[in-house]
Amino acid sequence: MYIDSDGEEGVRVSVKEISEELGIDKTEARNLFEYLESKKCLKIETLGGEYLYGHVSLTKKGLARSQK
């Protein structure tokens, strides 16, 4: 758990772990995370690693959408 610059609590999740769990490759992962970030459902937290992004977190909007 951490507090981001906007004062929101969040949990960083490994992009590699998500990608492996979903069975998607690097290009699919990058496109998926960029799409979800553009919809303000996900926040890219760290850059780097074999998937371009290291960690992501769900935003409040993303969490609400995931619970529908």
Side-chain angles (χ1 to χ4, degrees):
M1 189 76 82
Y2 72 98
I3 307 292
D4 72 9
S5 59
D6 297 326
E8 284 192 43
E9 287 187 7
V11 176
R12 289 184 177 153
V13 180
S14 166
V15 168
K16 181 178 180 181
E17 290 178 21
I18 295 170
S19 299
E20 289 174 353
E21 182 70 27
L22 294 175
I24 57 178
D25 67 23
K26 295 174 190 177
T27 302
E28 291 173 311
R30 184 181 67 243
N31 292 339
L32 173 63
F33 297 129
E34 287 175 356
Y35 172 77
L36 291 172
E37 183 180 47
S38 75
K39 296 297 184 183
K40 302 194 183 322
C41 292
L42 178 138
K43 185 172 181 183
I44 296 170
E45 298 290 346
T46 62
L47 300 176
E50 62 187 280
Y51 287 88
L52 180 62
Y53 306 122
H55 296 85
V56 296
S57 64
L58 284 176
T59 62
K60 287 180 183 177
K61 180 179 178 181
L63 183 59
R65 297 280 309 232
S66 73
Q67 295 175 341
K68 287 186 177 182

